[in-house]
Amino acid sequence: MSGGPGRALVLALPAAWMLLFFAAPFAIVLSIGFAEPAEGIPPFTPPWRVGEDGAIALRPNLANFALLLEDPFYAEAALRSLRVAAISATLCLLIGYPMALAIARAPEGWRNTLLMLVVLPFWTSFLLRVTAWIGLLQDQGWINGALLGVGLIEAPLTLLYTDLAMYLGITYCYLPFMVLPLYAALSKLDPALLDAASDLGARPWRAFLHVTLPLSLPGVVAGFLLVFIPAVGEFVIPELLGGPGAQLIGRVLWTEFFQNRDWPLASALAVVLLLVLVVPIAAFQSRAARDAPR
Amino acid sequence: MSGLAARVAAPDHRRDRQAEPFLRIEHVSHRFGGFVALDDVSLSIERGEFFALLGGSGSGKSTLLRILAGLLEPDAGRVVLDGQDMAGVPAHARPVNMMFQSYALFPHMSVAQNIGFGLRMEGAPKALIRERVAEMLALVRMEGLGERRPAALSGGQRARIALARALAKRPKLLLLDEPLSALDKNLREEMQFELQGIQDRTGTTFVIVTHDQEEAMTMATRLAVMERGRLVQVGTPGEVYEYPNSRFVAEFLGTANILEGVVESSGPDGARIGCADLGLAILYDAPAPKPAGSRVFVALRPERLAIARAAAEEPRVGENRLSGRVRDIAYFGDFFMYHVALEGGRTIRVSQPNLRRITGRPVDWEDAVVVSWDRQAAMVLPE
């Protein structure tokens, strides 16, 4: 392939996309993070002044970032969110891996149907699906009704508005994001490799441990990140299903933006959250790229 | 058949016919859905043999190999290796290893880890694994490449590592599934000699699956020709080439012109087969496999036929002679293949070695020619 106008276009498209939908919004949010809150619309004064001679003088307000570091409330909420996201991603991995493996090893004619079934829930609204869990989990809900009907319990269990309900909801909603990259990695696996492992004396579980699992690691990492990253900032599911005690970072952000109308603080929080997520992941990715020379 | 076969030297390991064969395949059948992959196959292979399963795609040769490896359970029949019935013994517990067609090297492991994988699964001590890996690398002449990843190796190097990995556990039986099909011609020939050398040095019994008749002929001590799930002929390469038992084998192994005729007479001194439609009589130096009056196929190898310009005074057609016109000459470098059109429309192929550099061919396009052969040339097929 020679470098020509076609090549330039192919490179320019994603670059333009990133600029338009990531870099520019990020720059706006970052600048608001350095602004000062004010009464009015928009509810802040920009962190620069245009002088009489037309010169622009930057006057960044560092108080927002300072507050995030000083008040342990924000760090706690962030840590709790990271923990919730990590547990949810792990649950998705534990459920999604066997699913992906089963689909990858299903007869060829079945695989597309099974993948379709995994993605099928996306055909209904996300909110509707989460709300449906309320109907299942509430005290007069289907689950309690069934358990009472069978006689396993005497009084309804408190399921809704608990951590359990929150994890159920997050795992349920994000499972497809885990299954799809895992399936992609597992279906690429040459079945002859497993034959070879077995031929060389590996029992099935050892063949899995030494061959299937290490070769599917890129899928595991991709799936984990695809669940973990959005789950950190997840707002709707904890709000609808979770208990009142869990102040997650998504909730905090929402409160700062819409209840306190403190856009600068909320923006600063969003920027910090992004850096906390992106920097370690980028470092990990570049290390992985270096370790796997092709 | 046995009387004829005696003229082709029988290999040593066939002398001891009383002993239990090393590998016994008994009435093995297997089907995939409605497709019969193996149909009642029985075969015995001796210790130290280099045995080739030769056949086209769908002949069942790879299915048989997978059954020997334990990767596939046969629908019927059994496999006995060194006195032990392999029924129910899974692949990971068999003293059998396989060199896979795609090599199936583990891409996430180094060459040394690949070779040592089998011993590691056995729980062998690290020192032994290190020692054996070094020994295997030396065996396949790949010393110093132990730390490389398979992706950093050439095709030929990968083949060697796959072989080293399959031999590292010192299996009783080594299976090779089209091991050289991914290599180019020169490398393939080099590896053929090397495989033979390694088999000699290790004394391991090799069973190789191939669709390449040259590969089977040059490497194997014995071979089995397979067609549609059956063994159609088993013998040394010489036996099968010189005495094919069917039209299929004659045409699959080498090239053959097939003529149809009727046995006119047959006795200890030879047989006479008449081909009325060509006005031809084929003289044969051995008794015909069927009684007088039966219809038989006769195979004529192109390299056993002589071709010359027709001279006016000679009879054109008769005993072991045919006449026709040269329709095509294919130049292979080391030989010429003449396509001679006979009267009546049939074509017969005659090859002539390219013995010296010549500018003018003695026989050229469109020449009227006589094709002749001697009494040892023809092969009267039993089927």
Side-chain angles (χ1 to χ4, degrees):
Chain A
M1 269 220 290
S2 60
R7 186 184 157 87
L9 185 71
V10 164
L11 289 175
L13 269 173
W17 178 276
M18 284 299 284
L19 193 74
L20 216 66
F21 296 109
F22 179 75
F26 181 72
I28 294 170
V29 171
L30 185 66
S31 75
I32 299 175
F34 284 108
E36 237 164 290
E39 290 296 324
I41 298 175
F44 60 88
T45 51
W48 60 75
R49 284 276 186 286
V50 182
E52 275 140 33
D53 53 352
I56 294 172
L58 281 181
R59 296 171 78 212
N61 171 22
L62 298 175
N64 304 316
F65 289 97
L67 180 66
L68 292 181
L69 292 178
E70 277 161 23
D71 192 341
F73 171 74
Y74 297 104
E76 273 165 26
L79 278 179
R80 202 177 297 121
S81 293
L82 290 174
R83 199 180 63 226
V84 166
I87 292 174
S88 306
T90 307
L91 287 173
C92 281
L93 181 62
L94 291 179
I95 300 169
Y97 202 106
M99 276 174 77
L101 197 61
I103 297 172
R105 297 203 180 154
E108 200 144 1
W110 275 90
R111 284 181 216 158
N112 282 336
T113 313
L114 291 171
L115 279 178
M116 255 273 290
L117 288 174
V118 170
V119 188
L120 201 62
F122 284 134
W123 289 21
T124 55
S125 146
F126 167 75
L127 270 179
L128 213 61
R129 280 181 285 135
V130 177
T131 313
W133 275 104
I134 297 178
L136 288 171
L137 294 170
Q138 64 192 348
D139 287 1
Q140 304 82 32
W142 288 31
I143 293 176
N144 273 317
L147 290 175
L148 283 169
V150 175
L152 275 173
I153 51 171
E154 315 249 297
L157 299 171
T158 311
L159 298 171
L160 194 57
Y161 309 127
T162 61
D163 277 0
L164 174 76
M166 178 183 67
Y167 284 122
L168 251 175
I170 297 179
T171 307
Y172 161 75
C173 284
Y174 286 106
L175 192 58
F177 295 111
M178 179 62 83
V179 172
L180 294 180
L182 278 176
Y183 169 78
L186 288 168
S187 63
K188 272 192 308 193
L189 205 74
D190 181 1
L193 292 178
L194 286 179
D195 283 347
S198 166
D199 181 67
L200 290 165
R203 289 165 180 281
W205 68 269
R206 295 193 82 187
F208 172 79
L209 222 60
H210 289 279
V211 178
T212 311
L213 188 60
L215 286 174
S216 66
L217 272 185
V220 172
V221 171
F224 198 89
L225 291 181
L226 276 178
V227 174
F228 181 80
I229 293 171
V232 170
E234 179 60 49
F235 168 70
V236 174
I237 299 172
E239 198 65 15
L240 290 180
L241 302 179
Q247 272 285 9
L248 295 181
I249 205 75
R251 170 68 156 303
V252 172
L253 258 176
W254 192 89
T255 311
E256 294 296 352
F257 255 113
F258 297 104
Q259 260 174 323
N260 301 348
R261 280 182 66 78
D262 189 347
W263 285 24
L265 183 64
S267 298
L269 188 56
V271 168
V272 170
L273 195 60
L274 186 77
L275 293 180
V276 163
L277 285 179
V278 164
V279 172
I281 288 167
F284 173 81
Q285 295 279 39
S286 76
R287 245 199 79 169
R290 211 179 46 228
D291 286 353
R294 273 258 112 198
Chain B
M1 181 71 207
S2 60
L4 301 175
R7 288 187 303 180
V8 178
D12 300 352
H13 47 77
R14 297 184 64 199
R15 270 190 232 131
D16 193 3
R17 284 193 175 276
Q18 266 70 39
E20 166 83 356
F22 182 61
L23 171 66
R24 213 167 65 230
I25 299 162
E26 288 177 348
H27 305 292
V28 165
S29 295
H30 193 79
R31 47 172 69 228
F32 296 108
F35 175 73
V36 180
L38 287 176
D39 184 7
D40 194 26
V41 169
S42 294
L43 182 66
S44 290
I45 294 174
E46 304 296 329
R47 191 187 297 271
E49 264 199 280
F50 197 136
F51 195 93
L53 293 168
L54 179 62
S57 52
S59 62
K61 56 191 194 307
S62 293
T63 306
L64 185 54
L65 205 69
R66 290 180 71 80
I67 286 173
L68 293 180
L71 295 168
L72 201 65
E73 197 62 30
D75 291 345
R78 61 178 196 149
V79 173
V80 181
L81 176 65
D82 202 12
Q84 191 196 352
D85 190 340
M86 288 287 137
V89 181
H92 63 77
R94 292 193 183 197
V96 175
N97 287 126
M98 176 131 122
M99 178 177 171
F100 288 81
Q101 182 171 10
S102 60
Y103 308 142
L105 295 174
F106 303 124
H108 58 301
M109 296 183 199
S110 70
V111 162
Q113 285 170 324
N114 263 285
I115 297 174
F117 184 84
L119 293 163
R120 202 168 136 220
M121 289 299 114
E122 256 179 13
K126 282 211 167 91
L128 173 75
I129 298 179
R130 218 174 306 124
E131 188 185 312
R132 191 73 65 81
V133 167
E135 183 191 329
M136 288 300 133
L137 282 172
L139 183 70
V140 297
R141 298 193 287 119
M142 291 278 288
E143 297 99 329
L145 290 182
E147 293 315 307
R148 292 261 191 102
R149 288 286 169 111
L153 300 177
S154 72
Q157 288 173 327
R158 274 181 230 181
R160 287 164 200 271
I161 297 308
L163 178 65
R165 185 179 70 176
L167 284 169
K169 284 176 79 179
R170 301 205 201 289
K172 287 182 175 175
L173 181 64
L174 182 77
L175 307 173
L176 303 102
D177 188 4
E178 307 255 9
L180 309 180
S181 59
L183 305 179
D184 60 47
K185 189 167 177 290
N186 286 335
L187 192 55
R188 194 159 65 224
E189 278 171 12
E190 189 192 318
M191 284 294 293
Q192 284 173 7
F193 280 108
E194 202 157 324
L195 271 178
Q196 273 182 303
I198 286 170
Q199 200 250 350
D200 257 8
R201 264 174 283 155
T202 59
T204 313
T205 308
F206 278 32
V207 176
I208 182 174
V209 151
T210 178
H211 66 273
D212 182 340
Q213 45 123 340
E214 246 176 70
E215 202 166 286
M217 301 272 289
T218 51
M219 290 199 287
T221 52
R222 279 198 309 149
L223 57 86
V225 181
M226 296 189 68
E227 187 204 12
R228 278 183 278 160
R230 291 169 170 275
L231 296 181
V232 285
Q233 190 169 6
V234 181
T236 65
E239 283 167 2
V240 180
Y241 188 79
E242 304 296 343
Y243 301 100
N245 64 4
S246 66
R247 200 177 156 167
F248 175 80
V249 175
E251 290 185 304
F252 191 80
L253 218 64
T255 316
N257 299 294
I258 305 289
L259 302 175
E260 206 178 340
V262 175
V263 180
E264 288 176 356
S265 65
S266 178
D269 302 333
R272 183 187 170 92
I273 287 116
C275 304
D277 53 335
L278 295 169
L280 163 74
I282 298 169
L283 298 183
Y284 183 47
D285 66 339
K290 287 187 182 174
S294 344
R295 296 198 68 78
V296 286
F297 286 112
V298 179
L300 290 166
R301 298 269 185 220
E303 73 270 17
R304 304 271 164 84
L305 305 179
I307 187 168
R309 271 216 186 90
E313 63 273 16
E314 278 179 322
R316 306 285 296 271
V317 178
E319 292 183 340
N320 286 357
R321 307 167 66 79
L322 279 167
S323 72
R325 194 168 287 279
V326 175
R327 279 279 170 258
D328 204 356
I329 305 173
Y331 178 59
F332 285 84
D334 50 347
F335 67 93
F336 296 100
M337 183 71 84
Y338 292 89
H339 291 235
V340 178
L342 305 177
E343 282 138 33
R346 297 203 42 188
T347 303
I348 194 163
R349 284 166 295 176
V350 182
S351 70
Q352 294 287 290
N354 191 0
L355 295 177
R356 64 183 72 84
R357 185 150 42 106
I358 42 170
T359 42
R361 275 186 289 265
V363 176
D364 217 332
W365 299 70
E366 295 303 323
D367 277 352
V369 290
V370 169
V371 175
S372 63
W373 58 93
D374 62 27
R375 282 158 50 91
Q376 275 115 44
M379 305 180 288
V380 181
L381 305 177
E383 283 167 38

